Structures are given as C-alpha cells and as structure tokens.
Amino acid sequence: MHGESSVKVPGGKLVRAAVTYEAHVQSVEIRGDFFLEPPEALDALERAVEGLPRDAPHEEFATAVGAVDATLVGFDADDVATAVREAME
C-alpha cells in the first residue's frame, strides 16, 4: 500500500510524507519547506521509521525520528511522526 500526507507545522512549515507499507513501514520519503542540519541527515530520518509496525504508537515513530543525529529547524520529530502515521490511515 502507499499513502501520502501533509502536516502544517505551527509557524508555517510544511512536512510531507509518502509512505509505502504493509504490516510494517517499507519506505518513506519526507519532503517539505523545512531545514535540516546536516542536510544529508534526511536519508537517516527516512530510514529511522522503516521497519516499524504500521500500528506502532505515535510515540514510537517520534522516538525513532528523534534518535537521528540531526538538528531539525522549523519542525520536530513529532511532526514527522504525525505525517508518517497520517499517510498510513
């Protein structure tokens, strides 16, 4: 299955997620008008949730994203978790 979602972050930033999944997250593409330091960490953010069960709690997705060694500017791990989970609804 495949789903997409967009989350408008307070302050005006947008986080978009395109997710391929079955029982587990197979692949994720995260895009938006946010900033990330270092920019190369985007791949790590996407991989952080791959393999998680589709029905894992929101907090598990946010924790996985938050564990990535990156500075998120204009959004946070909770925003990414929301976009990914909404894409699978």
Side-chain angles (χ1 to χ4, degrees):
M1 300 174 132
H2 181 81
E4 296 185 15
S5 174
S6 296
V7 173
K8 189 75 166 174
V9 177
K13 297 298 180 186
L14 183 68
V15 177
R16 283 179 263 151
V19 182
T20 302
Y21 62 95
E22 291 297 331
H24 292 79
V25 176
Q26 296 172 338
S27 67
V28 177
E29 183 177 304
I30 299 168
R31 298 292 180 258
D33 62 353
F34 52 79
F35 297 98
L36 180 66
E37 289 296 329
E40 304 82 45
L42 183 58
D43 288 340
L45 282 182
E46 294 170 340
R47 286 192 316 271
V49 298
E50 291 177 358
L52 289 178
R54 175 185 177 198
D55 60 354
H58 178 91
E59 295 76 22
E60 190 170 340
F61 282 89
T63 298
V65 171
V68 173
D69 186 19
T71 301
L72 312 180
V73 180
F75 72 121
D76 61 24
D78 192 59
D79 299 321
V80 175
T82 299
V84 169
R85 289 196 32 99
E86 285 182 3
M88 295 187 291
E89 292 180 356

XYZ file of all heavy atoms in Angstrom:
663
model
N 0.835 -1.173 0.000
C 0.000 0.000 0.000
C 0.882 1.240 0.000
O 2.031 1.189 0.412
C -0.897 0.015 1.235
C -1.817 -1.156 1.349
S -2.647 -1.055 2.942
C -4.291 -1.331 2.420
N 0.276 2.338 -0.422
C 1.009 3.600 -0.474
C 0.075 4.712 -0.015
O -1.098 4.731 -0.366
C 1.489 3.875 -1.900
C 2.264 5.134 -2.039
N 3.596 5.215 -1.716
C 1.898 6.379 -2.430
C 4.020 6.453 -1.926
N 3.001 7.174 -2.369
N 0.604 5.631 0.776
C -0.182 6.766 1.228
C 0.670 8.004 1.332
O 1.899 7.921 1.415
N 0.013 9.152 1.298
C 0.703 10.425 1.414
C -0.041 11.323 2.391
O -1.254 11.212 2.538
C 0.801 11.106 0.051
C 1.638 10.320 -0.927
C 1.839 11.040 -2.253
O 1.575 12.256 -2.334
O 2.271 10.381 -3.200
N 0.719 12.211 3.031
C 0.139 13.129 3.998
C 0.970 14.398 4.049
O 2.171 14.378 3.791
C 0.113 12.476 5.385
O -0.314 13.394 6.358
N 0.308 15.499 4.408
C 0.985 16.770 4.641
C 0.555 17.295 5.995
O -0.625 17.233 6.342
C 0.610 17.804 3.574
O 1.060 17.393 2.310
N 1.517 17.804 6.750
C 1.247 18.379 8.063
C 1.757 19.816 8.058
O 2.925 20.069 7.755
C 1.951 17.566 9.177
C 1.817 18.261 10.520
C 1.399 16.160 9.234
N 0.865 20.744 8.378
C 1.250 22.150 8.503
C 1.685 22.381 9.947
O 0.928 22.184 10.883
C 0.062 23.045 8.161
C 0.411 24.481 8.055
C 1.140 24.757 6.767
C 1.184 26.258 6.525
N 1.976 26.595 5.382
N 2.936 22.735 10.122
C 3.522 22.931 11.441
C 3.217 24.349 11.913
O 3.302 25.293 11.124
C 5.049 22.707 11.376
C 5.706 22.960 12.713
C 5.358 21.309 10.866
N 2.858 24.540 13.190
C 2.669 25.909 13.692
C 3.916 26.741 13.374
O 5.034 26.314 13.592
C 2.496 25.715 15.203
C 1.958 24.327 15.337
C 2.618 23.539 14.227
N 3.698 27.902 12.804
C 4.823 28.730 12.388
C 4.988 28.712 10.881
O 5.807 29.432 10.335
N 4.224 27.866 10.193
C 4.183 27.921 8.746
C 4.916 26.876 7.947
O 4.809 26.852 6.738
N 5.698 26.006 8.564
C 6.437 24.997 7.808
C 5.509 23.851 7.414
O 4.476 23.612 8.030
C 7.612 24.450 8.609
C 8.655 25.504 8.935
C 9.256 26.077 7.678
C 10.304 27.133 7.987
N 10.776 27.782 6.788
N 5.891 23.125 6.365
C 5.114 22.008 5.860
C 5.988 20.765 5.847
O 7.134 20.815 5.396
C 4.628 22.320 4.441
C 3.729 21.291 3.788
C 2.375 21.237 4.496
C 3.514 21.652 2.322
N 5.466 19.656 6.355
C 6.155 18.364 6.327
C 5.268 17.406 5.547
O 4.105 17.214 5.892
C 6.401 17.811 7.753
C 7.047 16.433 7.683
C 7.258 18.768 8.564
N 5.816 16.820 4.476
C 5.077 15.864 3.659
C 5.732 14.493 3.773
O 6.953 14.398 3.800
C 5.090 16.295 2.195
C 4.122 17.425 1.931
C 4.178 17.852 0.495
N 5.078 19.023 0.523
C 5.849 19.409 -0.450
N 5.885 18.759 -1.568
N 6.606 20.462 -0.324
N 4.902 13.468 3.828
C 5.412 12.099 3.889
C 4.694 11.250 2.849
O 3.471 11.302 2.731
C 5.206 11.498 5.275
N 5.479 10.491 2.101
C 4.957 9.471 1.197
C 5.461 8.142 1.744
O 6.675 7.957 1.910
C 5.454 9.702 -0.224
N 4.540 7.230 2.052
C 4.886 6.001 2.752
C 4.392 4.792 1.974
O 3.233 4.750 1.543
C 4.262 5.980 4.167
C 4.660 4.733 4.926
C 4.660 7.231 4.942
N 5.266 3.815 1.806
C 4.892 2.507 1.270
C 4.921 1.553 2.447
O 5.895 1.529 3.209
C 5.887 2.053 0.175
O 5.900 3.041 -0.856
C 5.484 0.713 -0.400
N 3.844 0.770 2.608
C 3.728 -0.065 3.799
C 2.825 -1.267 3.541
O 2.035 -1.290 2.602
C 3.160 0.755 4.961
C 1.773 1.294 4.692
C 0.647 0.608 5.121
C 1.593 2.473 3.976
C -0.629 1.084 4.846
C 0.330 2.957 3.708
C -0.783 2.264 4.141
O -2.036 2.732 3.864
N 2.980 -2.250 4.367
C 2.054 -3.375 4.506
C 1.814 -3.458 6.008
O 1.336 -2.522 6.583
C 2.659 -4.659 3.921
C 2.790 -4.644 2.409
C 1.471 -4.554 1.652
O 0.434 -5.039 2.164
O 1.460 -3.982 0.550
N 2.264 -4.539 6.638
C 2.170 -4.629 8.103
C 3.227 -3.745 8.766
O 3.064 -3.322 9.898
C 2.331 -6.075 8.557
N 4.319 -3.482 8.031
C 5.413 -2.640 8.507
C 5.700 -1.554 7.481
O 5.379 -1.706 6.297
C 6.691 -3.474 8.721
C 6.573 -4.434 9.843
N 5.921 -5.634 9.725
C 7.011 -4.365 11.115
C 5.963 -6.277 10.877
N 6.630 -5.521 11.742
N 6.325 -0.487 7.922
C 6.737 0.585 7.019
C 7.855 0.043 6.136
O 8.861 -0.461 6.625
C 7.235 1.821 7.804
C 7.740 2.883 6.850
C 6.137 2.351 8.705
N 7.660 0.133 4.827
C 8.672 -0.369 3.894
C 9.595 0.737 3.412
O 10.800 0.543 3.325
C 7.983 -1.061 2.711
C 7.215 -2.288 3.149
C 6.367 -2.866 2.039
O 6.021 -2.196 1.078
N 6.026 -4.134 2.179
N 9.026 1.883 3.080
C 9.856 3.015 2.664
C 9.122 4.310 2.953
O 7.895 4.344 2.997
C 10.214 2.926 1.181
O 9.067 3.093 0.377
N 9.909 5.362 3.150
C 9.361 6.678 3.475
C 10.138 7.733 2.705
O 11.363 7.665 2.601
C 9.486 6.975 4.992
C 8.981 8.384 5.307
C 8.737 5.956 5.806
N 9.412 8.705 2.188
C 10.038 9.873 1.578
C 9.488 11.091 2.307
O 8.269 11.283 2.360
C 9.708 9.939 0.091
C 10.376 11.090 -0.607
C 10.086 11.102 -2.094
O 10.354 10.089 -2.760
O 9.567 12.133 -2.569
N 10.365 11.882 2.887
C 9.956 13.073 3.639
C 10.423 14.304 2.866
O 11.592 14.411 2.500
C 10.567 13.071 5.053
C 10.090 11.840 5.821
C 10.198 14.358 5.796
C 10.831 11.588 7.104
N 9.490 15.210 2.629
C 9.797 16.452 1.928
C 9.086 17.592 2.644
O 8.217 17.384 3.470
C 9.327 16.383 0.466
C 10.026 15.290 -0.339
C 11.489 15.630 -0.542
N 12.173 14.610 -1.298
C 12.971 13.685 -0.782
N 13.168 13.617 0.509
N 13.582 12.813 -1.543
N 9.423 18.811 2.283
C 8.757 19.966 2.857
C 9.602 21.206 2.737
O 10.653 21.194 2.096
N 9.147 22.267 3.392
C 9.867 23.536 3.321
C 10.602 23.826 4.628
O 10.717 24.963 5.047
C 8.922 24.681 2.961
C 7.821 24.896 3.984
O 7.699 24.082 4.921
O 7.070 25.880 3.845
N 11.118 22.781 5.232
C 11.847 22.876 6.492
C 13.344 22.822 6.229
O 13.770 22.595 5.089
C 11.438 21.725 7.426
C 11.556 20.373 6.771
C 12.771 19.735 6.635
C 10.426 19.736 6.279
C 12.881 18.495 6.020
C 10.522 18.488 5.671
C 11.751 17.872 5.540
N 14.121 22.996 7.287
C 15.575 22.909 7.193
C 16.069 21.808 8.120
O 15.463 21.530 9.154
C 16.223 24.242 7.574
C 15.847 25.338 6.641
C 14.826 26.217 6.974
C 16.479 25.483 5.421
C 14.453 27.235 6.122
C 16.110 26.496 4.550
C 15.101 27.372 4.900
N 17.178 21.233 7.755
C 17.756 20.112 8.484
C 19.266 20.251 8.445
O 19.843 20.509 7.390
C 17.322 18.824 7.776
C 17.764 17.496 8.294
C 17.149 17.230 9.661
C 17.321 16.401 7.329
N 19.897 20.110 9.589
C 21.362 20.182 9.665
C 21.909 18.895 10.243
O 21.483 18.502 11.325
C 21.806 21.362 10.542
C 21.570 22.710 9.907
C 22.395 22.924 8.645
O 23.519 22.378 8.544
O 21.910 23.626 7.759
N 22.782 18.200 9.589
C 23.218 18.428 8.217
C 22.140 17.971 7.239
O 21.355 17.079 7.553
C 24.473 17.560 8.094
C 24.220 16.425 9.028
C 23.420 17.009 10.170
N 22.100 18.566 6.050
C 21.073 18.199 5.069
C 21.095 16.713 4.706
O 20.070 16.132 4.388
C 21.417 19.062 3.849
C 22.206 20.205 4.387
C 22.940 19.665 5.580
N 22.267 16.090 4.797
C 22.396 14.664 4.452
C 21.631 13.767 5.432
O 21.416 12.590 5.162
C 23.871 14.230 4.461
C 24.765 15.044 3.562
C 25.219 16.358 4.208
O 25.622 16.377 5.389
O 25.150 17.379 3.510
N 21.233 14.309 6.567
C 20.525 13.514 7.576
C 19.104 13.159 7.143
O 18.459 12.330 7.786
C 20.499 14.256 8.904
N 18.627 13.737 6.053
C 17.279 13.411 5.582
C 17.142 11.917 5.314
O 16.131 11.308 5.673
C 16.924 14.225 4.341
C 15.508 14.025 3.811
C 14.477 14.372 4.884
C 15.284 14.859 2.569
N 18.157 11.310 4.725
C 18.117 9.856 4.481
C 17.962 9.095 5.791
O 17.202 8.125 5.874
C 19.378 9.386 3.756
C 19.425 9.825 2.301
O 18.357 10.145 1.735
O 20.527 9.856 1.732
N 18.675 9.526 6.821
C 18.595 8.857 8.115
C 17.205 9.027 8.732
O 16.680 8.097 9.358
C 19.666 9.390 9.065
N 16.592 10.200 8.559
C 15.228 10.413 9.065
C 14.263 9.439 8.402
O 13.406 8.855 9.060
C 14.759 11.839 8.795
C 15.259 12.948 9.682
C 14.620 14.267 9.256
C 14.967 12.675 11.133
N 14.396 9.299 7.096
C 13.512 8.395 6.362
C 13.725 6.944 6.788
O 12.769 6.200 7.004
C 13.725 8.570 4.855
C 13.283 9.943 4.379
C 13.671 10.265 2.963
O 14.604 9.631 2.407
O 13.043 11.176 2.389
N 14.958 6.549 6.937
C 15.260 5.162 7.332
C 14.873 4.872 8.780
O 14.643 3.718 9.141
C 16.743 4.872 7.118
C 17.122 4.707 5.660
C 18.529 4.143 5.486
N 19.519 4.757 6.350
C 20.240 5.838 6.062
N 20.073 6.444 4.914
N 21.128 6.302 6.908
N 14.798 5.905 9.610
C 14.533 5.710 11.037
C 13.205 5.015 11.300
O 13.077 4.264 12.265
C 14.569 7.055 11.771
N 12.219 5.245 10.459
C 10.903 4.642 10.690
C 10.656 3.404 9.836
O 9.661 2.702 10.039
C 9.762 5.665 10.503
C 9.894 6.793 11.507
C 9.727 6.203 9.096
N 11.548 3.128 8.899
C 11.389 1.927 8.082
C 11.504 0.692 8.964
O 12.359 0.609 9.842
C 12.419 1.903 6.956
C 12.145 2.972 5.907
C 13.189 3.033 4.821
O 14.188 2.279 4.864
O 13.021 3.876 3.927
N 10.601 -0.228 8.766
C 10.602 -1.461 9.544
C 9.700 -1.410 10.769
O 9.397 -2.443 11.358
N 9.273 -0.214 11.167
C 8.362 -0.127 12.309
C 6.996 -0.701 11.917
O 6.565 -0.568 10.768
C 8.177 1.321 12.758
C 9.365 1.987 13.439
C 9.028 3.431 13.777
C 9.751 1.231 14.695
N 6.312 -1.330 12.865
C 4.969 -1.826 12.564
C 4.038 -0.674 12.201
O 4.119 0.411 12.798
C 4.518 -2.474 13.879
C 5.768 -2.717 14.650
C 6.740 -1.652 14.219
N 3.196 -0.905 11.244
C 2.245 0.121 10.809
C 1.426 0.654 11.988
O 1.120 1.835 12.061
C 1.329 -0.478 9.758
C 0.241 0.448 9.338
C -0.714 -0.223 8.400
N -1.781 0.730 8.101
C -2.934 0.385 7.614
N -3.184 -0.884 7.371
N -3.847 1.284 7.364
N 1.076 -0.227 12.917
C 0.219 0.174 14.029
C 0.996 0.542 15.296
O 0.415 0.633 16.375
C -0.804 -0.916 14.331
C -0.158 -2.245 14.705
O 1.085 -2.375 14.629
O -0.904 -3.173 15.073
N 2.301 0.794 15.155
C 3.092 1.229 16.312
C 2.541 2.563 16.821
O 2.026 3.367 16.047
C 4.561 1.383 15.929
N 2.639 2.794 18.126
C 2.135 4.066 18.663
C 2.914 5.266 18.114
O 4.085 5.153 17.744
C 2.330 3.940 20.172
C 3.062 2.688 20.421
C 3.187 1.927 19.153
N 2.236 6.390 18.096
C 2.833 7.640 17.626
C 4.182 7.889 18.288
O 5.144 8.286 17.633
C 1.863 8.799 17.917
C 2.390 10.131 17.520
N 2.165 10.667 16.274
C 3.143 11.036 18.193
C 2.757 11.847 16.207
N 3.354 12.091 17.353
N 4.256 7.646 19.590
C 5.479 7.908 20.348
C 6.656 7.081 19.825
O 7.801 7.543 19.856
C 5.266 7.617 21.836
C 4.268 8.526 22.509
C 2.800 8.187 22.185
O 2.507 7.025 21.786
O 1.956 9.084 22.291
N 6.394 5.874 19.346
C 7.478 5.030 18.816
C 8.053 5.638 17.535
O 9.264 5.646 17.326
C 6.969 3.614 18.566
C 8.073 2.641 18.243
C 7.598 1.191 18.233
O 6.545 0.892 18.828
O 8.302 0.376 17.619
N 7.178 6.177 16.690
C 7.648 6.850 15.471
C 8.448 8.103 15.838
O 9.526 8.340 15.300
C 6.463 7.218 14.570
C 5.928 6.060 13.783
C 4.934 5.255 14.299
C 6.426 5.771 12.523
C 4.434 4.184 13.577
C 5.940 4.701 11.787
C 4.938 3.900 12.318
N 7.922 8.905 16.764
C 8.606 10.137 17.167
C 9.958 9.833 17.812
O 10.942 10.531 17.558
C 7.722 10.945 18.116
N 10.023 8.790 18.624
C 11.286 8.412 19.269
C 12.317 7.986 18.238
O 13.490 8.354 18.316
C 11.046 7.295 20.296
O 10.167 7.795 21.308
C 12.345 6.821 20.926
N 11.886 7.211 17.232
C 12.806 6.756 16.186
C 13.372 7.943 15.409
O 14.580 8.013 15.147
C 12.092 5.790 15.240
N 12.533 8.897 15.069
C 12.989 10.086 14.343
C 13.880 10.941 15.239
O 14.932 11.435 14.814
C 11.787 10.908 13.825
C 12.239 12.245 13.257
C 11.011 10.112 12.781
N 13.501 11.088 16.491
C 14.277 11.896 17.430
C 15.655 11.337 17.718
O 16.549 12.071 18.146
N 15.850 10.049 17.474
C 17.149 9.419 17.724
C 18.175 9.733 16.627
O 19.367 9.481 16.793
C 16.982 7.906 17.858
N 17.722 10.294 15.511
C 18.633 10.638 14.414
C 19.475 11.839 14.839
O 18.961 12.816 15.399
C 17.836 10.957 13.130
C 18.751 11.474 12.035
C 17.085 9.715 12.666
N 20.766 11.766 14.573
C 21.698 12.837 14.934
C 21.576 13.977 13.920
O 22.310 14.022 12.922
C 23.124 12.297 14.971
C 24.119 13.338 15.476
O 23.681 14.311 16.124
O 25.321 13.165 15.221
N 20.612 14.859 14.162
C 20.366 15.984 13.261
C 19.658 17.086 14.034
O 19.005 16.830 15.042
C 19.507 15.542 12.087
N 19.792 18.288 13.530
C 19.060 19.424 14.074
C 17.919 19.727 13.120
O 18.150 20.027 11.942
C 19.982 20.654 14.205
O 21.073 20.321 15.062
C 19.224 21.834 14.775
N 16.686 19.634 13.616
C 15.509 19.895 12.814
C 15.108 21.356 13.037
O 14.923 21.776 14.171
C 14.365 18.969 13.220
C 14.712 17.481 13.344
C 13.475 16.684 13.743
C 15.303 16.936 12.063
N 15.000 22.112 11.958
C 14.697 23.538 12.053
C 13.337 23.793 11.402
O 13.153 23.540 10.215
C 15.776 24.390 11.354
C 15.461 25.870 11.465
C 17.161 24.073 11.911
N 12.392 24.262 12.189
C 11.066 24.556 11.670
C 10.093 23.408 11.795
O 8.944 23.520 11.380
N 10.543 22.303 12.345
C 9.706 21.131 12.572
C 10.386 20.260 13.604
O 11.514 20.520 13.985
C 9.441 20.368 11.280
C 10.634 19.610 10.739
C 10.565 18.239 10.566
C 11.808 20.251 10.380
C 11.646 17.530 10.056
C 12.891 19.548 9.863
C 12.806 18.174 9.706
N 9.683 19.220 14.071
C 10.315 18.328 15.041
C 9.920 16.878 14.772
O 9.173 16.593 13.825
C 9.994 18.749 16.477
C 8.514 18.718 16.807
O 7.744 17.975 16.164
O 8.106 19.433 17.735
N 10.451 15.983 15.580
C 10.216 14.548 15.397
C 8.734 14.220 15.474
O 8.243 13.343 14.753
C 11.003 13.753 16.438
N 8.001 14.923 16.321
C 6.568 14.698 16.451
C 5.840 15.027 15.152
O 4.910 14.321 14.756
C 6.029 15.536 17.611
C 4.623 15.152 17.988
O 4.403 13.974 18.344
O 3.733 16.022 17.915
N 6.271 16.076 14.454
C 5.655 16.451 13.178
C 5.879 15.376 12.123
O 4.970 15.040 11.358
C 6.222 17.788 12.676
C 5.953 18.930 13.638
O 4.844 18.979 14.215
O 6.862 19.774 13.817
N 7.089 14.824 12.076
C 7.384 13.755 11.123
C 6.538 12.528 11.455
O 5.938 11.906 10.564
C 8.888 13.398 11.125
C 9.164 12.201 10.221
C 9.720 14.601 10.701
N 6.465 12.174 12.730
C 5.665 11.023 13.144
C 4.205 11.208 12.742
O 3.566 10.274 12.249
C 5.783 10.811 14.652
N 3.678 12.403 12.926
C 2.289 12.678 12.550
C 2.086 12.496 11.056
O 1.129 11.843 10.620
C 1.888 14.109 12.981
O 1.994 14.205 14.397
C 0.479 14.442 12.539
N 2.983 13.049 10.245
C 2.853 12.932 8.795
C 2.935 11.476 8.344
O 2.150 11.031 7.502
C 3.934 13.769 8.105
N 3.862 10.725 8.898
C 4.019 9.315 8.507
C 2.787 8.522 8.903
O 2.231 7.760 8.100
C 5.300 8.711 9.129
C 5.335 7.200 8.950
C 6.535 9.356 8.510
N 2.316 8.680 10.123
C 1.151 7.911 10.578
C -0.109 8.292 9.800
O -0.894 7.434 9.443
C 0.952 8.098 12.072
C 2.086 7.366 12.835
C 1.827 7.155 14.275
N 0.459 6.960 14.644
C -0.105 5.756 14.868
N 0.600 4.669 14.749
N -1.365 5.679 15.213
N -0.289 9.587 9.508
C -1.459 10.007 8.731
C -1.419 9.451 7.317
O -2.458 9.167 6.725
C -1.579 11.528 8.707
C -2.071 12.114 10.011
C -2.242 13.622 9.975
O -2.038 14.243 8.904
O -2.579 14.182 11.036
N -0.222 9.285 6.756
C -0.099 8.716 5.410
C -0.554 7.263 5.357
O -0.901 6.746 4.305
C 1.348 8.833 4.925
N -0.576 6.606 6.525
C -0.988 5.195 6.566
C -2.427 5.010 7.024
O -2.863 3.888 7.242
C -0.027 4.419 7.485
C 1.386 4.368 6.959
S 2.465 3.300 7.909
C 2.601 4.218 9.450
N -3.173 6.081 7.168
C -4.577 5.973 7.586
C -5.493 5.769 6.412
O -5.245 6.123 5.329
C -4.997 7.218 8.366
C -4.306 7.306 9.699
C -4.705 8.541 10.502
O -5.480 9.382 9.997
O -4.220 8.661 11.616
